[in-house]
Amino acid sequence: CSIFLDENYRSFTKALNQVNSTTDKNINEIYDRVLVISDENVYKTQLHKFIDSLNAKFVSEYIVPAGEESKCIDTFQKVLEHALKAGLTRKSLIIAVGGGVVGDLSGYVAASYMRGIDFVQVPTTLLAQVDSSIGGKTGINLGTYKNVVGAFYQPKFTFINVSALRTLPDSEFRNGMSEVVKYGFIYDYEFIDYLLENSDDILDKRDSALRYIVKKCAEIKAHVVEVDEKEGGLRKILNFGHTFGHGVEKLCHIAHGEAVSIGMNMAFKLSLKRNLINEEYYNKFLQVCEKFNLPTEFEGPEEHEVLSIMKTDKKNSFSKVNMMLPVEHGKVDLFNDVDDETILEIIKECKYA
Ligand code: NAD
Ligand code: ZN
């Protein structure tokens, strides 16, 4: 899928034309109906700017409550009913303007409505811009079971406006920064130096810095999923920090990004123990976490509780814990021979003293 990146929404229609091999057509000349799905916060901060730039006649909006709870069967059904009432046909378009919640939900609606209609992602959180809007995974939760219902469904394109990140709360920005850091350690070590050298510009949300980091990460994600569309091999590197993180995320009720940086710390410590990396490399990781205020330690649950949650991660095969560990500059590798005792030791080391 193509990715377009800009500092405003104005070039959206141009991107739409490019993808459809048309020139200067209005969106209503390409699609009979357009449904824009968003959430309450994005409605307040971004949606009017996006809708204004669309300059369209037949656009209906559906605004879901903000938060993970909207990724549910009930909201899924309501959006489908709205689509039907609004007269969407097989020739209509759904646009998701929002974070990963809106993107995952809308993508699944688009995949299901009349067996699949066109869909475009306009991600507005850092996490959605560098991760969830790319790769074609869509879906919803079943109660507390996350992402268990869904489909692989590619958007026609992803349109990223990096300046949308300026209205994003700092906590949500940090959440995405954890994934940004992850990309450096799994794929492009020089990128880590960029992050360290340009941390002020990134934290001040300067356009050029945002552009650079989002472009870099979106390209890495797009490349990784293109090579491995259905999670056979390479895509697994994206799980770096997530297996360890999964345990603390569930038990400590912390944000996903925080769990990922703690999870990466556990993986780094394990690598250090196995002499796969040196202290200097590990210190670079700690340095970048400090710059972006990403936690590396957790408080609360017992080690064995964390381990047992890790073992329930659906990404493990045959109950062995698959560990993605840093091995050298900008690379990780899969290990499934780590014994429980070692994992427990590492978890303990990452608990606040
Ligand atoms: P989110 O969609 O809940 O957005 C976070 C918060 O930011 C929300 O309150 C939202 O209203 C607000 N917001 C969004 N954009 C804003 C803006 N520009 N200004 C002000 N507020 C804004 O959360 P998220 O972190 O973007 O996404 C998390 C979801 O993504 C989870 O459900 C997760 O499962 C999913 N995900 C999917 C994939 C995938 O490949 N499909 C990958 C990773 C995560
Ligand atoms: Zn993640």
Side-chain angles (χ1 to χ4, degrees):
C1 117
S2 338
I3 300 166
F4 295 85
L5 197 136
D6 210 336
E7 286 149 22
N8 52 64
Y9 295 112
R10 286 195 293 276
S11 56
F12 181 85
T13 306
K14 200 171 150 198
L16 187 75
N17 273 284
Q18 196 172 319
V19 168
N20 285 285
S21 310
T22 49
T23 38
D24 293 335
K25 280 202 173 172
N26 181 282
I27 193 166
N28 293 130
E29 297 174 273
I30 303 176
Y31 292 101
D32 62 353
R33 291 275 186 286
V34 179
L35 170 60
V36 175
I37 303 171
S38 196
D39 78 20
E40 288 158 335
N41 296 332
V42 180
Y43 176 79
K44 285 183 213 140
T45 52
Q46 296 292 326
L47 202 65
H48 59 285
K49 292 181 219 162
F50 176 72
I51 298 280
D52 284 353
S53 79
L54 265 190
N55 193 20
K57 276 184 236 121
F58 311 112
V59 176
S60 89
E61 290 167 18
Y62 194 89
I63 311 300
V64 302
E68 187 70 26
E69 291 71 35
S70 282
K71 257 176 73 172
C72 65
I73 291 270
D74 186 41
T75 312
F76 174 69
Q77 180 175 349
K78 283 185 178 141
V79 183
L80 284 170
E81 283 167 356
H82 175 91
L84 199 60
K85 243 192 268 160
L88 267 74
T89 71
R90 288 204 47 77
K91 294 198 168 64
S92 305
L93 174 70
I94 286 178
I95 307 176
V97 185
V101 165
V102 166
D104 281 11
L105 168 74
S106 311
Y108 192 46
V109 168
S112 314
Y113 188 74
M114 298 193 173
R115 298 195 191 87
I117 64 171
D118 280 1
F119 162 58
V120 171
Q121 290 262 23
V122 183
T124 61
T125 63
L126 182 57
L127 181 126
Q129 296 190 345
V130 302
D131 189 355
S132 65
S133 71
I134 301 154
K137 282 189 182 179
T138 72
I140 53 176
N141 309 325
L142 264 189
T144 56
Y145 294 91
K146 281 204 56 161
N147 303 318
V148 287
V149 178
F152 276 96
Y153 196 65
Q154 290 292 347
K156 288 281 278 185
F157 65 98
T158 293
F159 184 91
I160 302 174
N161 167 11
V162 292
S163 75
L165 301 180
R166 276 205 207 97
T167 59
L168 194 65
D170 283 346
S171 58
E172 293 299 341
F173 189 78
R174 211 150 45 89
N175 210 23
M177 271 315 293
S178 195
E179 306 284 350
V180 167
V181 167
K182 179 191 82 177
Y183 285 113
F185 286 109
I186 63 174
Y187 204 80
D188 186 347
Y189 188 59
E190 280 173 24
F191 182 53
I192 297 296
D193 286 323
Y194 176 89
L195 294 177
L196 285 170
E197 281 157 27
N198 296 275
S199 58
D200 290 345
D201 285 354
I202 296 167
L203 291 167
D204 286 345
K205 299 185 183 162
R206 295 203 190 282
D207 273 342
S208 60
L210 293 180
R211 237 190 135 102
Y212 188 88
I213 62 167
V214 172
K215 185 164 187 285
K216 175 69 84 188
C217 297
E219 276 171 3
I220 295 173
K221 170 101 195 232
H223 171 75
V224 168
V225 298
E226 194 185 307
V227 171
D228 175 12
E229 225 197 294
K230 302 249 155 123
E231 205 133 3
L234 191 63
R235 199 165 183 155
K236 287 195 174 130
I237 67 172
L238 300 169
N239 292 338
F240 175 50
H242 284 62
T243 310
F244 270 123
H246 188 64
V248 285
E249 185 171 359
K250 281 240 161 162
L251 292 166
C252 308
H253 305 288
I254 52 176
H256 177 71
E258 293 176 322
V260 171
S261 59
I262 295 167
M264 288 192 284
N265 187 35
M266 292 180 184
F268 266 100
K269 279 184 179 284
L270 194 48
S271 278
L272 204 56
K273 202 166 252 176
R274 292 186 148 209
N275 288 320
L276 299 170
I277 56 163
N278 59 27
E279 284 278 350
E280 196 190 329
Y281 192 63
Y282 177 50
N283 284 335
K284 205 71 170 253
F285 167 75
L286 293 179
Q287 227 180 316
V288 79
C289 286
E290 201 183 315
K291 277 265 192 233
F292 294 100
N293 207 5
L294 305 174
T296 51
E297 293 176 320
F298 70 98
E299 209 173 357
E302 295 299 322
E303 295 87 80
H304 65 88
E305 292 178 275
V306 178
L307 178 64
S308 73
I309 301 271
M310 278 168 64
K311 286 189 165 175
T312 64
D313 191 323
K314 65 175 189 290
K315 273 143 191 160
N316 293 319
S317 43
F318 311 112
S319 87
K320 264 189 197 151
V321 184
N322 290 327
M323 289 284 158
M324 209 38 96
L325 302 181
V327 285
E328 57 180 271
H329 288 192
K331 278 216 174 96
V332 289
D333 229 331
L334 192 65
F335 292 82
N336 55 18
D337 61 341
V338 190
D339 56 87
D340 286 5
E341 207 174 307
T342 313
I343 297 177
L344 288 169
E345 239 171 77
I346 295 290
I347 296 173
K348 192 169 184 180
E349 282 180 32
C350 292
K351 264 177 91 163
Y352 282 119

